[in-house]
Amino acid sequence: QVQLVESGGGLVQAGGSLKLSCVASGRTFSSSAMGWFRQAPGKEREFVAGILWSARSTKYADSVKGRFTISGDNAKNTVYLQMNSLKPEDRAVYYCAADLDSTHIVRVTTGAYEYWGQGTQVTVSS
């Protein structure tokens, strides 16, 4: 059974930074992709960033390019999302997800990801 546990959310002022962490357990993730998604109140869950464990290739939503950075630590089975220059519109519940079938691309649809964490709230005040 795969488990994903996020942490690092909180309240921050606009322009500030937060770093989210997602610890994965239950299997090795050397041949899969990990993604961060977010869901704001009244909106659908959307892709934020993703990383391929093996190739370390990354992908970002246009709305966060240049502000957010996704990275991973294989030894710790942990993926991070460094969020800088936060804006009020970044406010959402952020979810970590695992796509175990992806070996060469980062997919951006929620349906591609089999496992999800419980989410962590990020609130940005203006």
Side-chain angles (χ1 to χ4, degrees):
Q1 183 70 15
V2 174
Q3 286 190 319
L4 304 174
V5 180
E6 304 101 331
S7 62
L11 171 64
V12 65
Q13 286 189 331
S17 299
L18 281 175
K19 186 174 185 177
L20 307 183
S21 300
C22 172
V23 179
S25 62
R27 59 153 283 168
T28 58
F29 291 83
S30 59
S31 60
S32 60
M34 299 291 291
W36 285 98
F37 288 75
R38 67 186 181 187
Q39 189 166 19
K43 294 188 177 181
E44 293 190 352
R45 195 170 296 188
E46 64 176 2
F47 173 81
V48 175
I51 185 169
L52 280 175
W53 279 117
S54 57
R56 282 292 185 260
S57 60
T58 58
K59 189 169 194 149
Y60 296 91
D62 288 343
S63 59
V64 306
K65 276 181 185 175
R67 301 188 298 122
F68 291 11
T69 303
I70 188 170
S71 61
D73 185 331
N74 278 19
K76 296 181 179 179
N77 255 9
T78 301
V79 64
Y80 305 98
L81 185 67
Q82 176 67 47
M83 306 186 294
N84 298 329
S85 302
L86 282 160
K87 304 176 181 179
E89 51 263 43
D90 294 318
R91 176 192 177 194
V93 177
Y94 283 71
Y95 297 90
C96 172
D99 176 2
L100 304 185
D101 292 331
S102 182
T103 58
H104 63 285
I105 59 170
V106 175
R107 298 192 281 188
V108 301
T109 57
T110 56
Y113 291 76
E114 299 93 343
Y115 296 97
W116 294 81
Q118 81 288 352
T120 185
Q121 176 72 50
V122 171
T123 302
V124 184
S125 63
S126 55

PDB file of all heavy atoms in Angstrom, residues 19-47:
ATOM      1  N   LYS A  19       7.653  25.939   1.892  1.00  0.00           N
ATOM      2  CA  LYS A  19       8.186  24.726   1.282  1.00  0.00           C
ATOM      3  C   LYS A  19       7.351  23.541   1.737  1.00  0.00           C
ATOM      4  O   LYS A  19       7.271  23.254   2.937  1.00  0.00           O
ATOM      5  CB  LYS A  19       9.649  24.514   1.657  1.00  0.00           C
ATOM      6  CG  LYS A  19      10.292  23.351   0.926  1.00  0.00           C
ATOM      7  CD  LYS A  19      11.775  23.274   1.211  1.00  0.00           C
ATOM      8  CE  LYS A  19      12.451  22.180   0.387  1.00  0.00           C
ATOM      9  NZ  LYS A  19      13.909  22.137   0.606  1.00  0.00           N
ATOM     10  N   LEU A  20       6.720  22.886   0.802  1.00  0.00           N
ATOM     11  CA  LEU A  20       5.929  21.704   1.089  1.00  0.00           C
ATOM     12  C   LEU A  20       6.774  20.453   0.920  1.00  0.00           C
ATOM     13  O   LEU A  20       7.653  20.405   0.057  1.00  0.00           O
ATOM     14  CB  LEU A  20       4.719  21.620   0.162  1.00  0.00           C
ATOM     15  CG  LEU A  20       3.809  22.841   0.085  1.00  0.00           C
ATOM     16  CD1 LEU A  20       2.621  22.548  -0.832  1.00  0.00           C
ATOM     17  CD2 LEU A  20       3.344  23.269   1.460  1.00  0.00           C
ATOM     18  N   SER A  21       6.483  19.458   1.743  1.00  0.00           N
ATOM     19  CA  SER A  21       7.167  18.169   1.649  1.00  0.00           C
ATOM     20  C   SER A  21       6.136  17.069   1.508  1.00  0.00           C
ATOM     21  O   SER A  21       5.030  17.168   2.039  1.00  0.00           O
ATOM     22  CB  SER A  21       8.008  17.910   2.901  1.00  0.00           C
ATOM     23  OG  SER A  21       8.992  18.892   3.081  1.00  0.00           O
ATOM     24  N   CYS A  22       6.537  16.016   0.816  1.00  0.00           N
ATOM     25  CA  CYS A  22       5.667  14.846   0.668  1.00  0.00           C
ATOM     26  C   CYS A  22       6.540  13.607   0.827  1.00  0.00           C
ATOM     27  O   CYS A  22       7.431  13.366   0.008  1.00  0.00           O
ATOM     28  CB  CYS A  22       5.002  14.847  -0.698  1.00  0.00           C
ATOM     29  SG  CYS A  22       4.088  13.323  -1.081  1.00  0.00           S
ATOM     30  N   VAL A  23       6.280  12.855   1.885  1.00  0.00           N
ATOM     31  CA  VAL A  23       7.020  11.633   2.137  1.00  0.00           C
ATOM     32  C   VAL A  23       6.217  10.450   1.623  1.00  0.00           C
ATOM     33  O   VAL A  23       5.050  10.279   1.987  1.00  0.00           O
ATOM     34  CB  VAL A  23       7.322  11.464   3.629  1.00  0.00           C
ATOM     35  CG1 VAL A  23       8.082  10.165   3.865  1.00  0.00           C
ATOM     36  CG2 VAL A  23       8.109  12.646   4.164  1.00  0.00           C
ATOM     37  N   ALA A  24       6.854   9.651   0.770  1.00  0.00           N
ATOM     38  CA  ALA A  24       6.193   8.495   0.176  1.00  0.00           C
ATOM     39  C   ALA A  24       6.701   7.211   0.830  1.00  0.00           C
ATOM     40  O   ALA A  24       7.882   7.072   1.114  1.00  0.00           O
ATOM     41  CB  ALA A  24       6.467   8.467  -1.320  1.00  0.00           C
ATOM     42  N   SER A  25       5.811   6.277   1.030  1.00  0.00           N
ATOM     43  CA  SER A  25       6.196   4.987   1.606  1.00  0.00           C
ATOM     44  C   SER A  25       5.377   3.884   0.973  1.00  0.00           C
ATOM     45  O   SER A  25       4.339   4.127   0.365  1.00  0.00           O
ATOM     46  CB  SER A  25       5.996   4.994   3.123  1.00  0.00           C
ATOM     47  OG  SER A  25       4.628   5.198   3.432  1.00  0.00           O
ATOM     48  N   GLY A  26       5.857   2.676   1.105  1.00  0.00           N
ATOM     49  CA  GLY A  26       5.116   1.525   0.611  1.00  0.00           C
ATOM     50  C   GLY A  26       5.724   0.881  -0.605  1.00  0.00           C
ATOM     51  O   GLY A  26       5.395  -0.251  -0.922  1.00  0.00           O
ATOM     52  N   ARG A  27       6.588   1.610  -1.295  1.00  0.00           N
ATOM     53  CA  ARG A  27       7.294   1.025  -2.430  1.00  0.00           C
ATOM     54  C   ARG A  27       8.380   1.991  -2.849  1.00  0.00           C
ATOM     55  O   ARG A  27       8.413   3.134  -2.395  1.00  0.00           O
ATOM     56  CB  ARG A  27       6.360   0.763  -3.606  1.00  0.00           C
ATOM     57  CG  ARG A  27       5.662   2.000  -4.141  1.00  0.00           C
ATOM     58  CD  ARG A  27       5.294   1.867  -5.586  1.00  0.00           C
ATOM     59  NE  ARG A  27       6.451   2.054  -6.442  1.00  0.00           N
ATOM     60  CZ  ARG A  27       6.473   1.763  -7.727  1.00  0.00           C
ATOM     61  NH1 ARG A  27       5.412   1.211  -8.290  1.00  0.00           N
ATOM     62  NH2 ARG A  27       7.538   1.984  -8.460  1.00  0.00           N
ATOM     63  N   THR A  28       9.262   1.557  -3.733  1.00  0.00           N
ATOM     64  CA  THR A  28      10.264   2.473  -4.253  1.00  0.00           C
ATOM     65  C   THR A  28       9.678   3.260  -5.418  1.00  0.00           C
ATOM     66  O   THR A  28       8.825   2.756  -6.147  1.00  0.00           O
ATOM     67  CB  THR A  28      11.510   1.719  -4.740  1.00  0.00           C
ATOM     68  OG1 THR A  28      11.097   0.790  -5.744  1.00  0.00           O
ATOM     69  CG2 THR A  28      12.159   0.968  -3.603  1.00  0.00           C
ATOM     70  N   PHE A  29      10.120   4.488  -5.558  1.00  0.00           N
ATOM     71  CA  PHE A  29       9.545   5.362  -6.559  1.00  0.00           C
ATOM     72  C   PHE A  29      10.539   5.729  -7.650  1.00  0.00           C
ATOM     73  O   PHE A  29      10.404   6.739  -8.301  1.00  0.00           O
ATOM     74  CB  PHE A  29       9.027   6.638  -5.888  1.00  0.00           C
ATOM     75  CG  PHE A  29       7.836   6.380  -5.028  1.00  0.00           C
ATOM     76  CD1 PHE A  29       7.987   5.921  -3.727  1.00  0.00           C
ATOM     77  CD2 PHE A  29       6.558   6.548  -5.517  1.00  0.00           C
ATOM     78  CE1 PHE A  29       6.890   5.656  -2.933  1.00  0.00           C
ATOM     79  CE2 PHE A  29       5.457   6.290  -4.724  1.00  0.00           C
ATOM     80  CZ  PHE A  29       5.621   5.839  -3.428  1.00  0.00           C
ATOM     81  N   SER A  30      11.526   4.881  -7.839  1.00  0.00           N
ATOM     82  CA  SER A  30      12.591   5.210  -8.781  1.00  0.00           C
ATOM     83  C   SER A  30      12.115   5.240 -10.227  1.00  0.00           C
ATOM     84  O   SER A  30      12.769   5.812 -11.073  1.00  0.00           O
ATOM     85  CB  SER A  30      13.734   4.203  -8.640  1.00  0.00           C
ATOM     86  OG  SER A  30      13.248   2.898  -8.884  1.00  0.00           O
ATOM     87  N   SER A  31      11.005   4.601 -10.519  1.00  0.00           N
ATOM     88  CA  SER A  31      10.539   4.571 -11.908  1.00  0.00           C
ATOM     89  C   SER A  31       9.123   5.096 -12.031  1.00  0.00           C
ATOM     90  O   SER A  31       8.249   4.466 -12.609  1.00  0.00           O
ATOM     91  CB  SER A  31      10.604   3.145 -12.457  1.00  0.00           C
ATOM     92  OG  SER A  31       9.791   2.290 -11.678  1.00  0.00           O
ATOM     93  N   SER A  32       8.894   6.259 -11.441  1.00  0.00           N
ATOM     94  CA  SER A  32       7.559   6.818 -11.515  1.00  0.00           C
ATOM     95  C   SER A  32       7.642   8.337 -11.458  1.00  0.00           C
ATOM     96  O   SER A  32       8.717   8.907 -11.370  1.00  0.00           O
ATOM     97  CB  SER A  32       6.712   6.296 -10.359  1.00  0.00           C
ATOM     98  OG  SER A  32       7.283   6.669  -9.133  1.00  0.00           O
ATOM     99  N   ALA A  33       6.489   8.959 -11.516  1.00  0.00           N
ATOM    100  CA  ALA A  33       6.423  10.416 -11.438  1.00  0.00           C
ATOM    101  C   ALA A  33       5.655  10.822 -10.186  1.00  0.00           C
ATOM    102  O   ALA A  33       4.753  10.115  -9.736  1.00  0.00           O
ATOM    103  CB  ALA A  33       5.735  10.984 -12.670  1.00  0.00           C
ATOM    104  N   MET A  34       6.032  11.943  -9.643  1.00  0.00           N
ATOM    105  CA  MET A  34       5.327  12.522  -8.507  1.00  0.00           C
ATOM    106  C   MET A  34       4.832  13.898  -8.909  1.00  0.00           C
ATOM    107  O   MET A  34       5.516  14.631  -9.627  1.00  0.00           O
ATOM    108  CB  MET A  34       6.259  12.647  -7.305  1.00  0.00           C
ATOM    109  CG  MET A  34       6.814  11.325  -6.816  1.00  0.00           C
ATOM    110  SD  MET A  34       5.561  10.268  -6.075  1.00  0.00           S
ATOM    111  CE  MET A  34       5.194  11.193  -4.586  1.00  0.00           C
ATOM    112  N   GLY A  35       3.662  14.241  -8.439  1.00  0.00           N
ATOM    113  CA  GLY A  35       3.097  15.529  -8.804  1.00  0.00           C
ATOM    114  C   GLY A  35       2.525  16.261  -7.615  1.00  0.00           C
ATOM    115  O   GLY A  35       2.189  15.648  -6.593  1.00  0.00           O
ATOM    116  N   TRP A  36       2.438  17.565  -7.765  1.00  0.00           N
ATOM    117  CA  TRP A  36       1.722  18.420  -6.821  1.00  0.00           C
ATOM    118  C   TRP A  36       0.522  19.008  -7.558  1.00  0.00           C
ATOM    119  O   TRP A  36       0.663  19.523  -8.680  1.00  0.00           O
ATOM    120  CB  TRP A  36       2.607  19.540  -6.306  1.00  0.00           C
ATOM    121  CG  TRP A  36       3.626  19.114  -5.301  1.00  0.00           C
ATOM    122  CD1 TRP A  36       4.931  18.833  -5.518  1.00  0.00           C
ATOM    123  CD2 TRP A  36       3.416  18.933  -3.890  1.00  0.00           C
ATOM    124  NE1 TRP A  36       5.548  18.480  -4.351  1.00  0.00           N
ATOM    125  CE2 TRP A  36       4.635  18.532  -3.332  1.00  0.00           C
ATOM    126  CE3 TRP A  36       2.298  19.070  -3.045  1.00  0.00           C
ATOM    127  CZ2 TRP A  36       4.797  18.266  -1.967  1.00  0.00           C
ATOM    128  CZ3 TRP A  36       2.453  18.802  -1.696  1.00  0.00           C
ATOM    129  CH2 TRP A  36       3.686  18.404  -1.166  1.00  0.00           C
ATOM    130  N   PHE A  37      -0.605  18.922  -6.903  1.00  0.00           N
ATOM    131  CA  PHE A  37      -1.839  19.509  -7.412  1.00  0.00           C
ATOM    132  C   PHE A  37      -2.387  20.435  -6.337  1.00  0.00           C
ATOM    133  O   PHE A  37      -1.980  20.366  -5.177  1.00  0.00           O
ATOM    134  CB  PHE A  37      -2.873  18.415  -7.720  1.00  0.00           C
ATOM    135  CG  PHE A  37      -2.551  17.586  -8.932  1.00  0.00           C
ATOM    136  CD1 PHE A  37      -1.560  16.617  -8.875  1.00  0.00           C
ATOM    137  CD2 PHE A  37      -3.254  17.753 -10.109  1.00  0.00           C
ATOM    138  CE1 PHE A  37      -1.256  15.833  -9.991  1.00  0.00           C
ATOM    139  CE2 PHE A  37      -2.966  16.973 -11.230  1.00  0.00           C
ATOM    140  CZ  PHE A  37      -1.970  16.025 -11.157  1.00  0.00           C
ATOM    141  N   ARG A  38      -3.336  21.267  -6.721  1.00  0.00           N
ATOM    142  CA  ARG A  38      -3.984  22.118  -5.733  1.00  0.00           C
ATOM    143  C   ARG A  38      -5.456  22.282  -6.082  1.00  0.00           C
ATOM    144  O   ARG A  38      -5.851  22.159  -7.241  1.00  0.00           O
ATOM    145  CB  ARG A  38      -3.301  23.483  -5.640  1.00  0.00           C
ATOM    146  CG  ARG A  38      -3.433  24.355  -6.877  1.00  0.00           C
ATOM    147  CD  ARG A  38      -2.592  25.612  -6.718  1.00  0.00           C
ATOM    148  NE  ARG A  38      -2.706  26.497  -7.876  1.00  0.00           N
ATOM    149  CZ  ARG A  38      -1.980  27.588  -8.038  1.00  0.00           C
ATOM    150  NH1 ARG A  38      -1.081  27.943  -7.116  1.00  0.00           N
ATOM    151  NH2 ARG A  38      -2.142  28.344  -9.121  1.00  0.00           N
ATOM    152  N   GLN A  39      -6.225  22.560  -5.035  1.00  0.00           N
ATOM    153  CA  GLN A  39      -7.653  22.762  -5.217  1.00  0.00           C
ATOM    154  C   GLN A  39      -8.108  23.921  -4.359  1.00  0.00           C
ATOM    155  O   GLN A  39      -8.028  23.856  -3.127  1.00  0.00           O
ATOM    156  CB  GLN A  39      -8.447  21.502  -4.869  1.00  0.00           C
ATOM    157  CG  GLN A  39      -9.910  21.589  -5.234  1.00  0.00           C
ATOM    158  CD  GLN A  39     -10.586  20.232  -5.207  1.00  0.00           C
ATOM    159  OE1 GLN A  39     -10.086  19.276  -4.603  1.00  0.00           O
ATOM    160  NE2 GLN A  39     -11.732  20.124  -5.869  1.00  0.00           N
ATOM    161  N   ALA A  40      -8.554  24.971  -5.015  1.00  0.00           N
ATOM    162  CA  ALA A  40      -9.079  26.139  -4.325  1.00  0.00           C
ATOM    163  C   ALA A  40     -10.586  25.943  -4.112  1.00  0.00           C
ATOM    164  O   ALA A  40     -11.224  25.165  -4.830  1.00  0.00           O
ATOM    165  CB  ALA A  40      -8.814  27.387  -5.157  1.00  0.00           C
ATOM    166  N   PRO A  41     -11.162  26.661  -3.144  1.00  0.00           N
ATOM    167  CA  PRO A  41     -12.600  26.518  -2.891  1.00  0.00           C
ATOM    168  C   PRO A  41     -13.426  26.782  -4.141  1.00  0.00           C
ATOM    169  O   PRO A  41     -13.233  27.786  -4.829  1.00  0.00           O
ATOM    170  CB  PRO A  41     -12.861  27.576  -1.818  1.00  0.00           C
ATOM    171  CG  PRO A  41     -11.552  27.750  -1.138  1.00  0.00           C
ATOM    172  CD  PRO A  41     -10.517  27.567  -2.191  1.00  0.00           C
ATOM    173  N   GLY A  42     -14.319  25.860  -4.451  1.00  0.00           N
ATOM    174  CA  GLY A  42     -15.205  26.019  -5.594  1.00  0.00           C
ATOM    175  C   GLY A  42     -14.579  25.754  -6.946  1.00  0.00           C
ATOM    176  O   GLY A  42     -15.228  25.954  -7.981  1.00  0.00           O
ATOM    177  N   LYS A  43     -13.336  25.303  -6.945  1.00  0.00           N
ATOM    178  CA  LYS A  43     -12.651  25.056  -8.215  1.00  0.00           C
ATOM    179  C   LYS A  43     -12.218  23.601  -8.319  1.00  0.00           C
ATOM    180  O   LYS A  43     -12.145  22.885  -7.319  1.00  0.00           O
ATOM    181  CB  LYS A  43     -11.431  25.966  -8.354  1.00  0.00           C
ATOM    182  CG  LYS A  43     -11.778  27.439  -8.453  1.00  0.00           C
ATOM    183  CD  LYS A  43     -10.557  28.259  -8.783  1.00  0.00           C
ATOM    184  CE  LYS A  43     -10.899  29.727  -8.970  1.00  0.00           C
ATOM    185  NZ  LYS A  43      -9.714  30.544  -9.325  1.00  0.00           N
ATOM    186  N   GLU A  44     -11.904  23.184  -9.535  1.00  0.00           N
ATOM    187  CA  GLU A  44     -11.431  21.823  -9.734  1.00  0.00           C
ATOM    188  C   GLU A  44      -9.961  21.715  -9.338  1.00  0.00           C
ATOM    189  O   GLU A  44      -9.224  22.699  -9.335  1.00  0.00           O
ATOM    190  CB  GLU A  44     -11.602  21.426 -11.198  1.00  0.00           C
ATOM    191  CG  GLU A  44     -13.057  21.305 -11.629  1.00  0.00           C
ATOM    192  CD  GLU A  44     -13.200  20.682 -12.992  1.00  0.00           C
ATOM    193  OE1 GLU A  44     -12.169  20.476 -13.666  1.00  0.00           O
ATOM    194  OE2 GLU A  44     -14.340  20.393 -13.397  1.00  0.00           O
ATOM    195  N   ARG A  45      -9.562  20.496  -9.025  1.00  0.00           N
ATOM    196  CA  ARG A  45      -8.167  20.241  -8.691  1.00  0.00           C
ATOM    197  C   ARG A  45      -7.327  20.432  -9.946  1.00  0.00           C
ATOM    198  O   ARG A  45      -7.672  19.944 -11.021  1.00  0.00           O
ATOM    199  CB  ARG A  45      -8.013  18.825  -8.148  1.00  0.00           C
ATOM    200  CG  ARG A  45      -6.708  18.569  -7.453  1.00  0.00           C
ATOM    201  CD  ARG A  45      -6.723  17.236  -6.721  1.00  0.00           C
ATOM    202  NE  ARG A  45      -7.715  17.223  -5.653  1.00  0.00           N
ATOM    203  CZ  ARG A  45      -7.840  16.244  -4.768  1.00  0.00           C
ATOM    204  NH1 ARG A  45      -7.008  15.195  -4.818  1.00  0.00           N
ATOM    205  NH2 ARG A  45      -8.764  16.291  -3.830  1.00  0.00           N
ATOM    206  N   GLU A  46      -6.208  21.141  -9.805  1.00  0.00           N
ATOM    207  CA  GLU A  46      -5.380  21.439 -10.959  1.00  0.00           C
ATOM    208  C   GLU A  46      -3.913  21.073 -10.732  1.00  0.00           C
ATOM    209  O   GLU A  46      -3.427  21.106  -9.595  1.00  0.00           O
ATOM    210  CB  GLU A  46      -5.466  22.936 -11.318  1.00  0.00           C
ATOM    211  CG  GLU A  46      -4.932  23.861 -10.251  1.00  0.00           C
ATOM    212  CD  GLU A  46      -4.947  25.320 -10.684  1.00  0.00           C
ATOM    213  OE1 GLU A  46      -5.394  25.623 -11.793  1.00  0.00           O
ATOM    214  OE2 GLU A  46      -4.469  26.161  -9.889  1.00  0.00           O
ATOM    215  N   PHE A  47      -3.252  20.744 -11.822  1.00  0.00           N
ATOM    216  CA  PHE A  47      -1.835  20.396 -11.788  1.00  0.00           C
ATOM    217  C   PHE A  47      -1.012  21.641 -11.468  1.00  0.00           C
ATOM    218  O   PHE A  47      -1.267  22.729 -11.991  1.00  0.00           O
ATOM    219  CB  PHE A  47      -1.424  19.830 -13.148  1.00  0.00           C
ATOM    220  CG  PHE A  47       0.042  19.572 -13.306  1.00  0.00           C
ATOM    221  CD1 PHE A  47       0.609  18.412 -12.786  1.00  0.00           C
ATOM    222  CD2 PHE A  47       0.850  20.478 -13.956  1.00  0.00           C
ATOM    223  CE1 PHE A  47       1.969  18.171 -12.942  1.00  0.00           C
ATOM    224  CE2 PHE A  47       2.198  20.247 -14.114  1.00  0.00           C
ATOM    225  CZ  PHE A  47       2.762  19.087 -13.611  1.00  0.00           C
TER     226      PHE A  47
END
